[in-house]
Amino acid sequence: MIADPRSIGRDARAAVVTTIAFVTAVALLPPGSYLALILAWLLLAFAGALLGIGPGHLARRGLVALPFVVAAVPIVFLRSDELLWAGTIGPLSLQVSGAGLRIALTALMKAWISVQASVLLLALASPPSIVTALRRMRLPAVIATSAGLTIRYLEILRDEARRMLRARTARSASPVGDGRERIGGTISWRARTTGSLVGSLFLRAYSRAQRVEDAAASRGATGSLSIGTMPAADSRLTLKVFGVLLLVLIITLSGALLPRL
Amino acid sequence: MHPQLHIPDGFLSPQISLLLWVASAVLLGAAVRKTSRSDVQLNASQPILMGVLGAFIFAAQMFNFPVATGTSGHLLGGVLAGFLLGPWAGTIVMATVVGIQALLFQDGGLLALGANMFNMGIIGTLGGSFIARGIGTALGGSRGVNILGAGIAAWLAVVAAAGFTTLQLGLSGTTNVAVGLPAMLGVHALIGIGEAMITVAALTFIAQTAPDILSGVASPPQASPARRLATGLVIAGGVASLASLFASADPDGLEAVAEQLGFLNAGVAAPFELFPDYTIPGLDGTTSTIAAGVLGIIVVIVLLLAFARIARSRAKS
């Protein structure tokens, strides 16, 4: 996570609202608004540059959403409007629909841009400050506390899981090398081994939770995130919200005014 | 082969995203009220346990096991969380995990988060946990039967979440349901078997190692015989409607796309291969397709029963 250490004690509400508004404005663009989408990306890249994140790095981070495009591939071949190409490949007769291609490409670009927006959110605000901001925006206390603690213990338990996985690999319950070597045991044995790892990770997590409870109780905790730990409210919040509205307006208008392909 | 359930932004229409945000928010609000009521273990420690177990579910999703070369079993953990924390608290934990995955790891979109929380939290955890409890209570409520119920529910939860994901994409106009649904259900019917196996094995391990923790955190209330029968019927109805989803699928379209996308390799190992093209030789048309769907479900349940029996006999020895 690339959080600026100075951002931890800051009111992150403006950053959270901006990200959600930006993603929503992008989602509202109709299929084929490639120019508007490029404009939205340029705005994002500019914001990234202000925060010291290069457009190349940002663009690469956006690629994580791409595997999901598999879900939109059928539409390219199954719509029968605006036929771009039809023919046969081997035993298959195929048709490529222009409308379908437009839907798939637009979804892909939106996903790619939206991921970069949340990357920028993390550069602006630390995870705990995002939770505090959401708490301020009336997220129920039990969810906020639970989310805050999940974030706090995430790395500890992931590290624990990594060590257990390494130990399992060392005892040959998982494939080694390029996967062509023999794997140990039967499928049910491997499933049981994995289930036991999950079970023992649960027991470790459970006893950790008890230690945390004891420690918290001895310090007089009441079980919800204390208001006292919140950073001071952002004094320029209203101004920033107007800025966000302007941003949304630019993206939406560009979607309406720029030509679609 | 990973579960493809974290929808990124851009694939859902704004209307569908908003609708599912509202649905998730309402049901999570209900979950918050349920867990805050004093008779459901309210004390200062509940949010701490939920928070740390959220991190546990997150970490547990890293565990996989090889099924065959190139294919591995994964855990999503919804039913597991529901079993260990109770359906409502488990749902909050799962929705929180999905939210953190979107915010911190860009796994799933922000606008699509409502849909992702709905599919994995509400359907996968709340729905799955009630089905698990229903099966457990209907069969007598012993520990082994409860764990078996969790296994069946884990499979159903993953398949149902995949079905809902596809329907939402279809309603948004991003996918063709006739083709996408059988592909997603087929792939996740396989992934669900891994989920069920890991869930049963994990719960069996906990029951063996720390029986007191399991009875402390997971004790469904005793139900009357009438209620048992009712839950049994509801579950049968749910399974039947899932079966009809399989049955209404368009097999020709699936195979065409499966070849293009490489889904076909995954499909070869599916139990449905017993019935080529979802039909049974000798029967004709729709009857055959529905019969094949129902038989497919029965085969999977029998396999799960057999697996749970093995797991239980190991637990005793």
Side-chain angles (χ1 to χ4, degrees):
Chain A
M1 265 158 271
I2 41 166
D4 178 353
R6 290 166 303 172
S7 70
I8 283 166
R10 252 189 244 161
D11 182 357
R13 276 180 296 176
V16 171
V17 171
T18 311
T19 311
I20 293 170
F22 178 81
V23 169
T24 312
V26 166
L28 282 167
L29 292 173
S33 324
Y34 305 122
L35 291 177
L37 283 168
I38 290 170
L39 178 73
W41 184 77
L42 287 176
L43 288 172
L44 200 68
F46 179 68
L50 288 182
L51 289 164
I53 300 173
H57 174 79
L58 209 53
R60 270 196 306 282
R61 290 289 299 273
L63 297 180
V64 296
L66 295 204
F68 203 85
V69 81
V70 165
V73 167
I75 206 91
V76 177
F77 300 100
L78 289 164
R79 282 181 72 124
S80 44
D81 41 353
E82 295 176 43
L83 276 189
L84 286 183
W85 179 83
T88 52
I89 300 179
L92 291 170
S93 66
L94 278 180
Q95 51 184 34
V96 174
S97 148
L101 198 61
R102 187 180 307 124
I103 290 174
L105 265 179
T106 310
L108 196 64
M109 279 184 80
K110 285 179 177 177
W112 179 69
I113 291 173
S114 303
V115 166
Q116 299 176 55
S118 25
V119 170
L120 278 192
L121 171 63
L122 278 184
L124 267 171
S126 68
S129 75
I130 294 175
V131 174
T132 324
L134 291 173
R135 175 84 189 90
R136 270 198 165 133
M137 291 153 75
R138 308 189 69 102
L139 182 75
V142 67
I143 297 182
T145 310
S146 163
L149 285 163
T150 298
I151 291 170
R152 196 176 299 167
Y153 291 99
L154 194 56
E155 268 319 306
I156 293 173
L157 285 174
R158 275 161 61 97
D159 191 48
E160 195 107 45
R162 259 178 234 120
R163 275 182 275 132
M164 293 167 99
L165 279 170
R166 195 179 307 134
R168 184 185 66 172
T169 309
R171 287 159 187 78
S172 85
S174 68
V176 209
D178 58 7
R180 264 178 298 172
E181 288 88 350
R182 254 188 74 75
I183 310 166
T186 60
I187 289 180
S188 106
W189 177 78
R190 292 198 294 268
R192 231 173 24 253
T193 312
T194 309
S196 302
L197 290 185
V198 172
S200 55
L201 185 66
F202 166 77
L203 294 180
R204 292 182 194 186
Y206 189 85
S207 71
R208 183 174 289 277
Q210 282 181 322
R211 290 205 302 279
V212 175
E213 274 168 42
D214 292 345
S218 71
R219 296 185 198 112
T222 57
S224 69
L225 212 61
S226 154
I227 294 290
T229 60
M230 285 196 187
D234 192 336
S235 55
R236 286 175 301 171
L237 196 63
T238 331
L239 189 72
K240 285 179 180 172
V241 168
F242 275 115
V244 170
L245 288 177
L246 194 67
L247 177 76
V248 171
L249 200 66
I250 291 172
I251 294 171
T252 313
L253 274 180
S254 68
L257 299 176
L258 289 176
R260 274 174 235 152
L261 300 172
Chain B
M1 194 171 64
H2 289 254
Q4 283 288 342
L5 297 173
H6 291 81
I7 309 174
D9 281 324
F11 285 81
L12 292 179
S13 70
Q15 297 90 318
I16 295 287
S17 309
L18 186 68
L19 185 74
L20 288 157
W21 254 113
V22 171
S24 293
V26 167
L27 283 156
L28 280 175
V32 167
R33 276 195 302 282
K34 286 267 181 190
T35 46
S36 314
R37 272 213 333 247
S38 55
D39 55 286
V40 196
Q41 325 165 298
L42 173 83
N43 46 47
S45 66
Q46 177 79 356
I48 294 178
L49 185 61
M50 284 165 62
V52 177
L53 290 191
F56 153 71
I57 292 290
F58 224 116
Q61 290 184 348
M62 292 165 64
F63 290 116
N64 62 345
F65 70 95
V67 173
T69 311
T71 311
S72 53
H74 281 268
L75 184 73
L76 210 57
V79 171
L80 186 65
F83 198 96
L84 295 169
L85 278 158
W88 296 101
T91 302
I92 296 181
V93 165
M94 201 62 194
T96 309
V97 166
V98 173
I100 292 172
Q101 282 167 339
L103 271 171
L104 267 50
F105 296 86
Q106 290 86 46
D107 199 2
L110 294 180
L111 208 61
L113 180 55
N116 291 330
M117 290 197 297
F118 187 84
N119 298 335
M120 284 177 271
I122 308 297
I123 298 296
T125 307
L126 194 60
S129 303
F130 279 122
I131 288 174
R133 275 196 177 177
I135 297 173
T137 345
L139 295 178
S142 72
R143 169 161 294 161
V145 150
N146 283 335
I147 292 179
L148 165 70
I152 297 172
W155 182 83
L156 277 173
V158 170
V159 175
F164 272 89
T165 303
T166 318
L167 289 179
Q168 290 150 14
L169 290 169
L171 286 172
S172 304
T174 321
T175 201
N176 183 302
V177 175
V179 170
L181 197 60
M184 279 288 274
L185 290 183
V187 169
H188 286 84
L190 275 178
I191 292 175
I193 293 173
E195 173 93 9
M197 288 170 111
I198 298 180
T199 303
V200 167
L203 289 175
T204 309
F205 179 89
I206 298 167
Q208 278 175 287
T209 322
D212 47 321
I213 290 182
L214 207 55
S215 57
V217 294
S219 49
Q222 287 303 308
S224 67
R227 198 171 158 170
R228 279 188 205 176
L229 187 68
T231 45
L233 285 175
V234 169
I235 290 158
V239 173
S241 45
L242 260 180
S244 71
L245 283 181
F246 275 102
S248 68
D250 172 7
D252 300 326
L254 163 64
E255 278 171 20
V257 172
E259 269 167 44
Q260 287 154 14
L261 304 185
F263 271 147
L264 207 59
N265 293 336
V268 168
F272 317 105
E273 199 62 15
L274 287 172
F275 318 117
D277 288 346
Y278 302 91
T279 56
I280 298 172
L283 294 171
D284 62 303
T286 324
T287 329
S288 169
T289 311
I290 292 172
V294 173
L295 266 173
I297 300 276
I298 291 171
V299 166
V300 170
I301 289 174
V302 166
L303 283 175
L304 278 171
L305 280 167
F307 177 74
R309 201 187 183 98
I310 295 165
R312 259 185 299 163
S313 64
R314 302 268 167 124
K316 276 180 200 139
S317 59

